[in-house]
């Protein structure tokens, strides 16, 4: 009777062990993955959808402007002395409008940003502050014309005096912060001047995004970020993650294009990564070494590199950081060679300087981007400035902390600086004596940190996941222990027949029986 029960107990516990092994190695991970996918996929019923559609908290948009302390001396050939003024702080709200759903599990949407000045966070600074900065529009037009039709440069330079309201004695401008950033600086096109007509006609044909046509059609308004404010961007085509959660957030198209043709190269024209608002969960067995984000304002994707696991808000997260390879010269990162354009500088081809990217192919204007204070850029770039640059990794790096369970960005910052080349041109009075070099205008810090309510949601998710892991391995241990105990009980019950053992020593040493021999 005991043997019969022992056999049944062993059979049941052995089957339970097999089931526990399957659940631990495949079942529980599958269940968790499906539940995570259900919550984070871009679907009306998911918890993530409304947070993705309308960001539940504003981003913090900080702007630092480089005020020129010695403009007269710079015009005479001295090195610039800069004073960083800021931050001018804005609250940045983001909202998406869903336009429809496409094939291959995609969703089409537009993104609208809106900016509101935060006077309290800006402290003593005001949007009405007047600063002296490099005239990015003037240098942009001059460099563009010089590259295309240098013979008419002199007449265009004369026309630009009318364009800027007869206030063009040097390559700098005195401007209110609100006009520089969002409201716009008026540029006059109303005059009987053929060169001015050429400049304004070119703007009409191919207007940079930083230029807004005046309501009366008699000129333009230039601002750095006015085109971002309350203007739908897109449309984007993005993978929803309902079929493969690890493809969630991947941008596969922008303005119905699958590649960006501005760079004239298939590699540099690839659209990779997300729009930075959403990332897929991280498979702990296949942690990506790079994360890509696509930025239409620079017509390319940028990558951040995995730095390892870090603790933030008492939770574990993967930490990624923008490294020098992203904006490296072609000698350091050969893949960047297709982002080069000749003649952007008086002494370089656009690829020899570390940490600088020419936006001419993208924006139609020779603006240059870098990291703030030329962090991770060539020392040669910083040497042009006499005073006012202090690269600091903690202040000027771009990074994200990513929750591995949901792919939520727990904290992140994108920091970009806008520059323009100030080039010596002996035939133009404004540029006859200046030194040639890259001149910074401003940089912004676009940052976000999840709210306390989202932190609590994540902690709750991590806690539940911890419980699931505990149950998963507890069941396996119990099943293994039960199988072990039942096996011992079965052996002791005698229900399993013992195998006779041959004692090899006895077999060898015991006397042999006499062998009878047949006689023939």
């Amino acid at each position: 009777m005991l043997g019969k029960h022992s056999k049944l107990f062993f059979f049941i516990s052995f089957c339970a062990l097999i089931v526990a092994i399957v659940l631990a190695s495949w079942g529980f991970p599958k269940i968790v993955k499906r539940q995570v996918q259900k919550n984070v996929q871009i679907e009306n019923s998911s918890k993530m959808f409304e947070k993705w559609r309308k960001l539940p908290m504003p981003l913090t948009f900080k702007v630092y402007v480089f005020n020129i302390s010695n403009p007269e001396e710079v015009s005479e050939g001295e090195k610039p002395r800069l004073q960083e003024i800021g931050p001018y702080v804005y609250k940045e709200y983001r909202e998406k409008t869903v336009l429809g759903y496409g094939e291959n599990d995609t969703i089409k949407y537009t993104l609208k940003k809106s900016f509101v000045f935060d006077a309290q966070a800006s402290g003593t600074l005001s949007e009405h502050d007047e600063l002296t900065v490099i005239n990015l529009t003037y240098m942009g037009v001059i460099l563009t014309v010089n590259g295309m039709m240098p013979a008419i440069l002199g007449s265009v330079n004369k026309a630009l005096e009318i364009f800027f309201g007869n206030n063009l004695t040097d390559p700098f401008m005195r401007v209110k912060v609100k006009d520089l950033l969002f409201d716009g600086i008026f540029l006059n096109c109303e005059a009987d001047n053929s060169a001015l007509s050429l400049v304004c006609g070119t703007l009409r044909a191919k207007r940079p995004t930083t230029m807004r046509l005046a309501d009366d059609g008699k000129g333009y308004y230039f601002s750095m970020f006015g085109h971002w404010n309350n203007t739908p961007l897109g449309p984007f085509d993005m993978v929803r993650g309902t079929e493969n959660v690890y493809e969630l957030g991947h941008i596969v198209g922008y303005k119905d294009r699958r590649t960006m043709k501005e760079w004239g190269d298939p590699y540099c024209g690839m659209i990779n990564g997300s729009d930075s608002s959403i990332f897929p969960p991280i498979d702990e067995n296949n942690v990506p070494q790079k994360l890509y984000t696509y930025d239409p304002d620079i017509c390319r994707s940028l990558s951040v590199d995995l730095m390892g696991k870090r603790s933030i808000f008492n939770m574990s997260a993967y930490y990624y950081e923008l490294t020098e390879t992203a904006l490296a010269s072609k000698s350091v990162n050969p893949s960047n060679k297709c982002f080069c354009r000749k003649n952007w500088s008086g002494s370089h081809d656009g690829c020899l300087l570390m940490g600088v990217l020419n936006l001419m192919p993208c924006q139609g204007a020779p603006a240059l981007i870098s990291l703030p204070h030329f962090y991770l850029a060539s020392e040669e770039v910083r040497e042009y400035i006499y005073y006012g640059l202090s690269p600091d990794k903690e202040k000027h790096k771009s990074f994200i902390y990513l929750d591995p369970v949901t792919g939520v960005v727990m904290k992140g910052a994108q920091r970009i600086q806008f520059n323009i080349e100030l080039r010596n041109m002996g035939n133009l009075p404004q540029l006859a004596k200046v030194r040639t070099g890259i001149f910074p205008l401003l940089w912004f810090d676009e940052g976000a940190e999840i709210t306390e309510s989202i932190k609590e949601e994540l902690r709750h998710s991590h806690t539940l996941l911890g419980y699931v892991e505990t149950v998963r391995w507890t069941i396996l241990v119990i099943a293994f222990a039960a199988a072990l105990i039942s096996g011992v009980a079965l052996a002791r019950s005698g229900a399993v027949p013992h195998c006779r053992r041959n004692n090899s020593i006895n077999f060898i040493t015991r006397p042999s029986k006499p062998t009878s021999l047949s006689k023939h």
Side-chain angles (χ1 to χ4, degrees):
M1 191 71 178
L2 180 61
K4 182 180 179 181
H5 287 166
S6 297
K7 287 181 179 180
L8 179 63
F9 180 36
F10 178 75
F11 176 76
I12 293 173
S13 60
F14 183 75
C15 291
L17 178 60
I18 294 175
V19 172
I21 291 173
V22 171
L23 283 175
S25 62
W26 180 83
F28 275 103
K30 191 74 173 179
I31 293 169
V32 169
K33 180 181 175 181
R34 284 183 178 177
Q35 190 60 37
V36 169
Q37 181 167 355
K38 181 181 177 182
N39 288 332
V40 303
Q41 66 188 10
I42 302 304
E43 179 66 47
N44 289 342
S45 60
S46 75
K47 290 183 178 180
M48 182 64 71
F49 181 80
E50 192 57 29
K51 294 183 179 69
W52 170 82
R53 191 191 69 80
K54 186 175 182 179
L55 204 63
M57 73 290 185
L59 277 68
T60 302
F61 187 77
K62 301 177 182 178
V63 183
Y64 300 80
V65 183
F66 289 105
N67 182 62
I68 306 169
S69 303
N70 62 334
E72 294 83 5
E73 288 81 0
V74 175
S75 295
E76 293 298 318
E78 292 191 15
K79 286 188 174 184
R81 295 175 182 264
L82 304 180
Q83 180 187 12
E84 181 184 271
I85 308 295
Y88 294 91
V89 184
Y90 294 80
K91 291 180 179 178
E92 178 187 339
Y93 299 88
R94 291 189 174 191
E95 185 172 352
K96 298 179 179 74
T97 300
V98 176
L99 303 179
Y101 299 89
E103 57 184 14
N104 299 323
D105 193 30
T106 58
I107 185 171
K108 185 183 291 288
Y109 65 92
T110 57
L111 169 65
K112 185 177 73 174
K113 302 177 183 179
S114 56
F115 298 83
V116 178
F117 184 66
D118 191 337
Q120 183 176 1
S122 300
T124 59
L125 300 176
S126 166
E127 283 188 298
H128 297 279
D129 293 343
E130 291 193 2
L131 304 175
T132 300
V133 298
I134 184 72
N135 192 332
L136 188 141
T137 305
Y138 170 70
M139 288 308 308
V141 173
I142 290 296
L143 293 172
T144 302
V145 172
N146 186 64
M148 297 173 61
M149 296 177 289
I152 65 170
L153 194 58
S155 57
V156 168
N157 188 63
K158 282 286 186 182
L160 291 179
E161 293 179 2
I162 305 171
F163 195 52
F164 288 99
N166 296 313
N167 186 25
L168 191 62
T169 58
D170 57 33
F172 311 112
M173 60 181 174
R174 289 77 185 167
V175 62
K176 288 184 178 180
V177 170
K178 69 182 185 69
D179 293 334
L180 174 65
L181 301 185
F182 290 102
D183 288 2
I185 303 157
F186 181 69
L187 305 171
N188 178 42
C189 283
E190 189 74 358
D192 185 14
N193 184 291
S194 58
L196 182 63
S197 298
L198 176 63
V199 171
C200 294
T202 303
L203 286 177
R204 266 188 289 271
K206 190 177 181 181
R207 189 167 75 245
T209 56
T210 52
M211 294 287 188
R212 171 174 55 89
L213 183 65
D215 294 337
D216 58 8
K218 295 181 180 180
Y220 294 89
Y221 284 92
F222 163 80
S223 66
M224 291 298 298
F225 308 119
H227 62 290
W228 289 358
N229 199 18
N230 293 310
T231 303
L233 183 65
F236 296 85
D237 290 291
M238 187 192 79
V239 179
R240 300 163 59 205
T242 61
E243 296 178 2
N244 182 356
V245 71
Y246 296 116
E247 290 291 319
L248 172 67
H250 185 72
I251 302 295
V252 296
Y254 178 70
K255 291 186 176 180
D256 298 320
R257 293 187 296 172
R258 294 297 185 256
T259 59
M260 304 300 292
K261 298 180 180 179
E262 286 80 356
W263 303 104
D265 184 271
Y267 177 82
C268 286
M270 288 192 300
I271 297 177
N272 292 327
S274 82
D275 64 358
S276 78
S277 67
I278 188 170
F279 290 90
I282 291 179
D283 181 357
E284 297 285 357
N285 297 318
N286 187 26
V287 180
Q289 296 301 303
K290 288 181 179 290
L291 290 180
Y292 290 88
T293 58
Y294 172 69
D295 189 343
D297 285 305
I298 62 174
C299 301
R300 65 165 291 187
S301 298
L302 286 174
S303 64
V304 287
D305 293 352
L306 177 65
M307 298 289 111
K309 260 192 173 182
R310 305 279 176 88
S311 178
I312 183 172
F313 312 134
N314 294 320
M315 290 179 280
S316 179
Y318 282 99
Y319 175 69
Y320 290 84
E321 191 176 295
L322 190 75
T323 64
E324 64 179 5
T325 59
L327 297 176
S329 62
K330 64 182 180 183
S331 60
V332 176
N333 184 1
S335 298
N336 282 346
K337 65 181 179 181
C338 43
F339 291 117
C340 308
R341 283 297 179 271
K342 293 181 179 180
N343 300 325
W344 72 266
S345 169
S347 57
H348 297 93
D349 68 357
C351 295
L352 300 180
L353 295 177
M354 281 287 291
V356 180
L357 175 68
N358 181 16
L359 294 184
M360 182 66 182
C362 175
Q363 297 292 350
L368 308 172
I369 66 164
S370 66
L371 298 184
H373 288 241
F374 298 118
Y375 169 62
L376 297 181
S378 170
E379 185 68 29
E380 176 186 346
V381 183
R382 292 192 291 270
E383 288 175 351
Y384 176 72
I385 305 299
Y386 180 78
Y387 177 83
L389 295 180
S390 300
D392 185 308
K393 180 177 180 178
E394 292 306 311
K395 293 179 182 178
H396 303 142
K397 66 182 179 180
S398 295
F399 66 91
I400 57 171
Y401 287 89
L402 206 63
D403 175 46
V405 178
T406 62
V408 168
V409 177
M410 303 168 74
K411 185 176 181 178
Q414 180 187 27
R415 293 156 175 165
I416 298 292
Q417 180 172 297
F418 287 94
N419 318 273
I420 191 77
E421 185 193 8
L422 180 60
R423 187 184 297 185
N424 181 281
M425 296 184 181
N427 57 334
L428 304 182
Q430 295 89 345
L431 303 174
K433 297 180 181 179
V434 300
R435 291 171 178 253
T436 295
I438 299 177
F439 211 109
L441 170 62
L442 58 81
W443 65 277
F444 69 81
D445 178 350
E446 191 175 40
E449 182 179 307
I450 55 174
T451 62
E452 285 299 326
S453 61
I454 297 178
K455 290 177 188 176
E456 285 304 313
E457 286 185 31
L458 288 180
R459 290 191 186 102
H460 182 64
S461 299
H462 287 200
T463 300
L464 287 178
L465 190 62
Y467 289 156
V468 169
E469 285 294 295
T470 301
V471 170
R472 170 188 176 188
W473 297 113
T474 299
I475 290 175
L476 183 60
V477 169
I478 292 174
F480 181 78
L484 182 63
I485 292 170
S486 64
V488 172
L490 181 64
R492 290 181 175 179
S493 68
V496 179
H498 291 283
C499 297
R500 295 184 60 186
R501 294 179 299 172
N502 286 325
N503 191 311
S504 59
I505 298 178
N506 291 339
F507 177 77
I508 295 171
T509 57
R510 69 172 178 255
S512 300
K513 291 182 180 180
T515 303
S516 57
L517 301 176
S518 304
K519 292 184 180 179
H520 298 284

